Structures are given as structure tokens and as C-alpha cells.
Amino acid sequence: LRVIPEFTASVVSLPLAEAMNRTSRALAPGVSEYTDAGLHTAPSERVRPPRVREARAALECVVFDIVALPARAHGRGSHLVLAEVVGIHIDESVIVDGIVDERLLEPLTRLGYMNYGTLGEVFAMQRPGG
């Protein structure tokens, strides 16, 4: 297994929910998740892996550290990947007055079991001084 110490992370917007879910399918070696899900790649600027062209927002990341987590009862191990964001792509359609409007971004949230959510009410709260 060849490890590339870079990756991209895309924000999944509501219109991409079905394609995102489809990428969780087990595929034969050499079969592209992008093609299977009807997605396309776009070149990154600061890392080698491409990003999802259809994503309204994507991060380009360089791996800082990979922490092995204890194996679960079924024996499968997991890892925590720590990375530095070195590039950000935001679709102009979600920027209002120079600020990302999260309502236009329509990000999905991963909940429990098979459940996902979308944003409810969005409000601003100033941080306390001092």
C-alpha cells in the first residue's frame, strides 16, 4: 500500500447526498468511486490528490501525523489523521458580501445509524471579551 501524505476533504452539500452515499459501496480494485458515483475530479493547487469538482467547498490538506487507534472487538483497526489545511476552494455561489453563507452551502451532518441532517436555524453569537 502506497501512502500519499496529502488528501482533499470535500464538504458534502445536500444535492450531493446520494453520490456521497454511493461512494461507500465496496468496489472491485481499480474501479473509480468518482465514476461509479457520477462525480468528477478537479485538480488541486497545492496537493497531488484531486478534489470533487461538484463540491461547493473543498480543503487541500497535508498530513501532519497518523495515530493508530486501538482495534475494536472485530479486529479492524482505525486511524486518526491530523493534517494542516494548505488550500481552500469555495464556490462563489455560496459567498454573500465576502462571507460564506452556510445556508447556501447546505452542508450535510453525519448523525447516528443511517441518519444525516441539514442546517436548521443559523445565528451569530459574539465571543465574550477578555
Side-chain angles (χ1 to χ4, degrees):
L1 179 66
R2 189 180 73 143
V3 176
I4 297 175
E6 303 170 334
F7 63 93
T8 61
S10 298
V11 174
V12 179
S13 297
L14 185 57
L16 294 181
E18 290 299 324
M20 180 256 344
N21 192 42
R22 188 155 176 95
T23 64
S24 68
R25 289 176 11 116
L27 300 173
V31 176
S32 167
E33 286 182 348
Y34 283 98
T35 302
D36 185 66
L39 297 169
H40 304 89
T41 63
S44 296
E45 295 177 12
R46 310 239 1 235
V47 299
R48 289 171 282 177
R51 56 192 170 89
V52 176
R53 184 174 75 197
E54 293 82 359
R56 293 178 185 164
L59 306 175
E60 296 184 17
C61 304
V62 174
V63 174
F64 175 73
D65 196 9
I66 300 175
V67 179
L69 301 176
R72 309 275 289 168
H74 51 66
R76 190 174 111 203
S78 295
H79 297 82
L80 171 67
V81 178
L82 303 172
E84 175 185 7
V85 175
V86 296
I88 300 173
H89 300 270
I90 305 284
D91 189 305
E92 293 289 327
S93 69
V94 303
I95 298 176
V96 176
D97 297 328
I99 298 173
V100 173
D101 185 329
E102 295 88 355
R103 292 168 292 227
L104 296 175
L105 188 58
E106 295 183 285
L108 288 186
T109 58
R110 177 73 166 101
L111 303 171
Y113 189 58
M114 301 295 169
N115 299 328
Y116 291 82
T118 57
L119 292 180
E121 180 183 354
V122 176
F123 61 92
M125 185 181 314
Q126 297 299 317
R127 293 185 178 146

